[in-house]
Amino acid sequence: MNGNNNKSQLRASETKKCTLVSLCINFFLSVFQIIAGVFSGSQGLIADGIHSLSDLSSDFVVLIANKKGQKECDDDHHYGHLRFENGGKLIIGAILLLVGLGTIWSAGGKLLHNSLPQEINPLAIWVAIIALVIKETLFRYMLFVGKRIQSSLLIANAWHARSDAASSVIVAIGIIGNMLGFHMMDSIAALIVGLFIARMGYHFSSDALQDLMDRSVDTELEHEIRVCLLSTTGVEGVHDLKTRKMGDYALVDVHIEVNGDLSIREGHEIAIDARKRVMAVFDVLNVMVHIEPEDSDCR
């Protein structure tokens, strides 16, 4: 458990540092984009700035979930608080979904009611390009750190930043179209950005909800855990292997078969050894092992 605790503390520290960097960048970037959008007359740039502003909310969610998730076990949470991370991911998805739907509503309304087209100041295209470079750099930094420390919460927030970068590309295209005389292109760009954001939000929300409903780890990892158990000295067979996610960790329940002539103490020692081997190799919080004699008919 000490190894997992150390890894968890390192993950929390790196996540906090990375998220604080993201928070500072998103604050100044969102203010910059919204002000530039207002003065240049670009609805798409304003929508992109609001998207960047939504990143501030998700950054705060990551910070809170990261801090809460590190709390030790207590009387109400015997397995700890790591599911705060799953809950945080769900909230990030919900924020994205709401921002996306709001953007769609605003842009769609302008298109349907044939609002008077507005020419955009060339300043907007430079702001969009600067925002694109900053967002793409932030995405690559956060994704690198998230993969290195294996934090699904940080990876989700990184892809949130990537959705910002993609939306900046669309906004830039819309601004260029407007400057070439296709004035509705800016509103169309804002509409596409909204659809993109809403889709990303739905994906994150759905994924986090599945984890909160005790989704198992992927099949490949389950196979590796099974192989690890079977390689333990004294384990003759493995069945009823079940897993469920807990933050970026897993809880494992398994039945192992041992020689029926062994004493209870010997069987118990085999179970302890199997548990230790799994927890030393994989990101597993706990392994609940049930011992059965090899020739048992209780399966």
Side-chain angles (χ1 to χ4, degrees):
M1 284 297 291
N2 288 335
N4 279 339
N5 285 337
N6 291 336
K7 186 182 293 186
S8 181
Q9 290 172 3
L10 174 63
R11 180 178 289 162
S13 175
E14 290 291 322
T15 299
K16 180 180 179 180
K17 181 175 71 175
C18 188
T19 305
L20 286 173
V21 170
S22 173
L23 194 150
C24 292
I25 290 174
N26 283 320
F27 173 75
F28 289 108
L29 187 60
S30 61
V31 172
F32 179 52
Q33 285 179 291
I34 292 172
I35 292 175
V38 170
F39 280 98
S40 66
S42 172
Q43 183 191 1
L45 195 56
I46 294 172
D48 204 24
I50 294 173
H51 188 189
S52 297
L53 196 60
S54 75
D55 279 356
L56 290 176
S57 300
S58 67
D59 287 339
F60 278 116
V61 169
V62 171
L63 288 173
I64 293 170
N66 183 57
K67 182 178 180 179
K68 294 286 187 180
Q70 299 312 305
K71 291 176 63 178
E72 297 293 331
C73 304
D74 56 31
D75 292 339
D76 294 325
H77 303 84
H78 296 170
Y79 290 99
H81 297 74
L82 286 171
R83 279 198 173 144
F84 266 107
E85 296 184 8
N86 301 119
K89 188 176 176 182
L90 178 63
I91 295 173
I92 290 174
I95 291 171
L96 277 169
L97 186 58
L98 290 174
V99 169
L101 293 175
T103 304
I104 292 170
W105 180 270
S106 176
K110 289 182 178 293
L111 289 171
L112 289 174
H113 294 95
N114 295 317
S115 298
L116 291 175
Q118 181 178 0
E119 291 189 8
I120 297 176
N121 190 296
L123 168 69
I125 186 63
W126 293 108
V127 174
I129 291 172
I130 292 171
L132 170 61
V133 173
I134 293 174
K135 290 173 181 179
E136 182 65 18
T137 303
L138 180 61
F139 159 73
R140 293 182 180 277
Y141 164 65
M142 293 176 70
L143 187 64
F144 171 77
V145 176
K147 287 185 174 180
R148 179 165 59 82
I149 64 176
Q150 297 179 329
S151 170
S152 64
L153 184 63
L154 192 54
I155 291 173
N157 208 26
W159 280 104
H160 188 175
R162 165 51 73 87
S163 73
D164 267 359
S167 68
S168 292
V169 173
I170 298 169
V171 168
I173 294 172
I175 293 171
I176 292 172
N178 180 281
M179 293 170 63
L180 292 174
F182 303 98
H183 298 299
M184 298 306 292
M185 282 287 289
D186 187 51
S187 294
I188 293 172
L191 180 64
I192 294 172
V193 169
L195 289 168
F196 188 87
I197 297 170
R199 180 179 177 276
M200 187 75 70
Y202 173 79
H203 171 74
F204 283 150
S205 297
S206 175
D207 193 54
L209 191 58
Q210 290 296 323
D211 287 348
L212 289 169
M213 294 173 67
D214 284 343
R215 178 169 59 179
S216 63
V217 302
D218 60 77
T219 306
E220 182 179 350
L221 180 55
E222 278 196 355
H223 174 72
E224 291 175 358
I225 292 173
R226 183 183 298 274
V227 170
C228 181
L229 288 166
L230 287 170
S231 66
T232 304
T233 302
V235 175
E236 305 294 339
V238 171
H239 62 274
D240 287 347
L241 173 62
K242 297 177 182 178
T243 61
R244 49 199 166 107
K245 301 189 77 173
M246 184 85 168
D248 288 312
Y249 290 84
L251 296 170
V252 179
D253 299 305
V254 65
H255 291 221
I256 63 171
E257 301 169 24
V258 300
N259 189 322
D261 295 328
L262 295 177
S263 67
I264 294 176
R265 183 182 298 278
E266 290 171 325
H268 176 70
E269 289 175 352
I270 292 173
I272 292 297
D273 187 29
R275 177 178 181 272
K276 286 182 177 178
R277 285 169 59 86
V278 170
M279 294 181 64
V281 176
F282 306 101
D283 286 338
V284 172
L285 278 179
N286 189 42
V287 183
M288 181 65 68
V289 183
H290 176 77
I291 308 170
E292 293 181 5
E294 186 181 5
D295 56 353
S296 173
D297 295 326
C298 300
R299 301 180 200 176

